[in-house]
């Protein structure tokens, strides 16, 4: 077994601020993902990484940067927080592609004032 | 482009009753289909997955789903719902077994005691 840890659990930011979310996994998985979850909109893929130092854009990458400096960690940066933005950011990992189960972290809840 | 529609945002069933959650996909090819569940304040967990083959797929906790190519559907079923099934259920599709999953908007299941 393994676990995915996301920090922080809650993040309150100001408009225009750069905010960084972190994700760690101890599954030794190659692939990691960042999703954004908005109420009523399901999950949308922001970035994914198939190996250390690899980055692939998802459907919602504009306004975000990502970094995969180690196999076990994957960071996401909101480059300029939007006023009244409220969403949950979910990190996931899988051994390889979608044929392998994706394991999700508990999420980071973002609120921008 | 692949897409998934979950037409019911919320479903309420009585404990012990049967359940069907609907999922329709749009993809001109062989889809790979998934159901995930999100319990309150937790990350998503895989319930079951469909690869081309037997159209009825068994999952965890008594859930099953049936793939129908003629109806472009992958509905989730359970014979007898338990209060612990109270959660949000997401259908997802992948094309070509790459790295990207496309999620539906989710169905919230409420269980009446």
């Amino acid at each position: 077994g393994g676990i995915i840890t996301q920090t922080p659990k809650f993040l309150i930011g100001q408009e225009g601020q750069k905010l960084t979310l972190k994700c760690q996994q101890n599954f030794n998985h190659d692939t990691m993902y960042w999703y954004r979850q908005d109420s009523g909109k399901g999950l949308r893929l922001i970035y994914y990484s198939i190996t250390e130092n690899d980055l692939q854009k998802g459907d919602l990458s504009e306004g975000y940067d990502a970094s995969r400096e180690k196999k076990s960690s994957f960071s996401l940066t909101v480059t300029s927080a939007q006023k009244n933005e409220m969403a949950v950011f979910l990190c996931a990992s899988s051994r390889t592609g979608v044929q392998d189960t994706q394991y999700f972290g508990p999420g980071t809840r973002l609120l921008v004032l | 482009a692949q897409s998934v529609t979950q037409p019911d945002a919320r479903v309420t069933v009585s404990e012990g009753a049967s359940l069907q959650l609907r999922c329709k996909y749009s993809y001109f090819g062989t889809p790979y289909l998934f159901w995930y569940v999100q319990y309150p304040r937790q990350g998503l967990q895989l319930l079951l997955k469909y690869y081309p083959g037997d159209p009825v797929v068994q999952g965890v906790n008594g859930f099953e789903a049936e793939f129908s190519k003629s109806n472009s559907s992958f509905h989730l079923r359970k014979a007898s719902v338990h209060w612990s099934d109270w959660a949000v259920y997401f259908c997802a599709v992948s094309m070509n077994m790459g790295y990207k999953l496309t999620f539906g908007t989710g169905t919230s299941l409420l269980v009446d005691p």
Side-chain angles (χ1 to χ4, degrees), chain A residues 62-74:
Chain A
E62 188 169 338
Y64 301 94
D65 287 329
S67 172
R68 181 96 181 269
E69 294 171 351
K70 292 193 302 184
K71 185 176 183 178
S72 61
S73 67
F74 194 28

Side-chain angles (χ1 to χ4, degrees), chain B residues 65-83:
Chain B
E66 183 167 4
F67 168 71
S68 170
K69 186 170 184 177
S70 59
N71 294 323
S72 299
S73 67
F74 188 56
H75 300 333
L76 182 70
R77 302 189 297 238
K78 187 170 184 178
S80 177
V81 169
H82 188 263
W83 65 266

Side-chain angles (χ1 to χ4, degrees), chain A residues 36-86:
Chain A
R36 177 180 166 125
Q37 183 177 16
D38 293 277
S39 178
K41 291 186 179 178
L43 276 71
R44 291 178 288 174
L45 183 63
I46 305 172
Y47 270 99
Y48 66 101
S49 166
I50 63 175
T51 189
E52 187 177 324
N53 293 319
D54 173 75
L55 287 177
Q56 306 285 338
K57 290 184 178 181
D59 299 322
L60 201 68
S61 59
E62 188 169 338
Y64 301 94
D65 287 329
S67 172
R68 181 96 181 269
E69 294 171 351
K70 292 193 302 184
K71 185 176 183 178
S72 61
S73 67
F74 194 28
S75 298
L76 180 73
T77 298
V78 179
T79 56
S80 179
Q82 301 298 305
K83 188 173 176 63
N84 297 324
E85 184 175 6
M86 190 166 63

Side-chain angles (χ1 to χ4, degrees), chain B residues 34-109:
Chain B
F34 306 79
W35 276 100
Y36 280 81
V37 60
Q38 185 176 34
Y39 297 107
R41 300 293 185 184
Q42 295 186 31
L44 277 72
Q45 302 170 33
L46 181 68
L47 271 180
L48 47 81
K49 55 187 175 184
Y50 167 79
Y51 298 159
D54 190 336
V56 178
V57 181
Q58 302 296 323
V60 298
N61 297 334
F63 285 94
E64 68 173 29
E66 183 167 4
F67 168 71
S68 170
K69 186 170 184 177
S70 59
N71 294 323
S72 299
S73 67
F74 188 56
H75 300 333
L76 182 70
R77 302 189 297 238
K78 187 170 184 178
S80 177
V81 169
H82 188 263
W83 65 266
S84 61
D85 294 325
W86 188 311
V88 182
Y89 293 79
F90 291 93
C91 184
V93 65
S94 174
M95 62 179 182
N96 300 329
M97 291 305 286
Y99 291 91
K100 294 178 67 173
L101 278 179
T102 298
F103 285 84
T105 51
T107 297
S108 292
L109 174 64

Side-chain angles (χ1 to χ4, degrees), chain A residues 3-6 22-35 45-52 54-56 66-75 90-96 102-103, chain B residues 99:
Chain A
I3 192 168
I4 293 182
T5 304
Q6 292 188 239
K22 295 187 183 295
C23 177
Q24 297 267 350
Q25 54 98 358
N26 63 0
F27 289 98
N28 198 34
H29 285 163
D30 286 323
T31 308
M32 296 185 74
Y33 307 81
W34 276 108
Y35 292 92
L45 183 63
I46 305 172
Y47 270 99
Y48 66 101
S49 166
I50 63 175
T51 189
E52 187 177 324
D54 173 75
L55 287 177
Q56 306 285 338
S67 172
R68 181 96 181 269
E69 294 171 351
K70 292 193 302 184
K71 185 176 183 178
S72 61
S73 67
F74 194 28
S75 298
L90 295 174
C91 176
S93 73
S94 64
R95 193 173 60 84
T96 55
Q102 289 190 22
Y103 294 87
Chain B
Y99 291 91

